[in-house]
Amino acid sequence: MRVVAALLVAAGALAGCSTGIPATAPPPSPTAEPNAAVGTATATTSAAEAGGPALTDTNGAAVPPAVADGVRRIDAALRSGTTASVRDLYEPSPGAAGWARTASRLDDPTHRARLVTALRNPPQPRPEIAYLYSDGDHGLGITGDGKLAFVGVGQKPRPASSGAAIPAGTYLGHGRSLAIDASGRGTYTFRTYDECPPDTPGVPCEYRGPEQVARVTLQVSGSNARVLTSNDEPEVPTGSTLPIASPRPGVVTIGRGDAATTFCGDGVSDQDCGA
């Protein structure tokens, strides 16, 4: 019996040792992958906080890589002021303004600042394009492959009174001018933002730096302006007819929708006339 008791005591002692000091160390806690994920999320958040364009839409989904690349390039061009580099990304949707008018809008620092702000807001998925980045009445339409479909800067013409005549005079806008005489004959000049040699055949280039080299003659009759001659065929072809209106004294608009251009008479201020 003493032998059995001794054996029982020894067994109990061994059991106590195996409980207090495990034979092998426990496996490490599986925290490597979650920590890596947290690190990636933190990096993404930091990039957003650094002021880059929004890359997650209003539904919380990430935009495709091509869209992300396109908006980054557009954002960099707008912030640097080198908007000519946007031209390679500009593929206007039907009814959108041509490059010359779009470039004149991007050339305005006030418009650029608002468009940069628009790129920081989550874009809306849209059926007619892929995404719309907007800030109030300023917006950029982006296609699924990262191209710029249109630029909106609140330049849609205001309703004009029925049959309102356009008074003779000289009207100006940023990078453009319009002169109309008493007979309704008008001369419209504007910048093309094409450096020589011209990138597009038929479009006049700015061979002496920034200047209004595009020249269009018009015949104004009521609410229409017929193009008599033009040296900027892709933008305002000869023989075409443009709507023209005077929404308020001293202000004239030519064109329709997003392609409308606004001019101001002497001493008249309008945000769409630009600097």
Side-chain angles (χ1 to χ4, degrees):
M1 293 297 292
R2 291 179 180 175
V3 173
V4 173
L7 290 173
L8 290 174
V9 171
L14 290 174
C17 290
S18 62
T19 302
I21 305 175
T24 57
S29 176
T31 58
E33 292 186 2
N35 284 343
V38 169
T40 302
T42 302
T44 303
T45 303
S46 297
E49 291 173 351
L55 303 180
T56 303
D57 66 23
T58 52
N59 296 325
V63 301
V67 172
D69 179 64
V71 297
R72 287 191 187 103
R73 292 172 62 187
I74 294 168
D75 178 66
L78 292 175
R79 287 188 291 106
S80 67
T82 56
T83 52
S85 61
V86 177
R87 180 167 186 169
D88 292 339
L89 291 171
Y90 190 54
E91 292 185 359
S93 59
W99 172 248
R101 286 193 180 92
T102 298
S104 69
R105 296 170 184 177
L106 297 179
D107 195 43
D108 187 320
T110 302
H111 289 327
R112 285 203 308 271
R114 288 287 299 278
L115 293 170
V116 167
T117 300
L119 287 174
R120 269 103 189 112
N121 298 327
Q124 305 170 21
R126 299 291 287 267
E128 71 275 15
I129 49 172
Y131 297 98
L132 172 64
Y133 284 82
S134 62
D135 177 53
D137 59 359
H138 284 65
L140 303 102
I142 309 295
T143 66
D145 56 355
K147 299 292 186 179
L148 181 60
F150 61 82
V151 175
V153 293
Q155 290 196 349
K156 294 183 179 180
R158 301 176 180 89
S161 57
S162 177
I166 307 300
T170 299
Y171 303 88
L172 303 175
H174 187 74
R176 58 188 180 272
S177 67
L178 173 67
I180 302 176
D181 64 21
S183 70
R185 185 72 170 245
T187 301
Y188 170 27
T189 61
F190 55 94
R191 290 191 60 190
T192 62
Y193 294 86
D194 279 302
E195 297 180 358
C196 292
D199 296 324
T200 307
V203 179
C205 62
E206 299 177 358
Y207 54 91
R208 289 193 295 251
E211 59 179 332
Q212 299 174 27
V213 294
R215 186 179 182 86
V216 178
T217 58
L218 307 163
Q219 183 61 50
V220 179
S221 177
S223 60
N224 292 315
R226 183 164 58 90
V227 179
L228 302 178
T229 62
S230 171
N231 67 344
D232 188 39
E233 297 292 339
E235 192 72 27
V236 188
T238 300
S240 61
T241 300
L242 302 172
I244 187 168
S246 179
R248 64 184 180 89
V251 178
V252 175
T253 60
I254 294 182
R256 57 178 64 85
D258 187 55
T261 304
T262 304
F263 303 84
C264 291
D266 187 33
V268 177
S269 176
D270 188 286
Q271 65 175 359
D272 292 338
C273 292

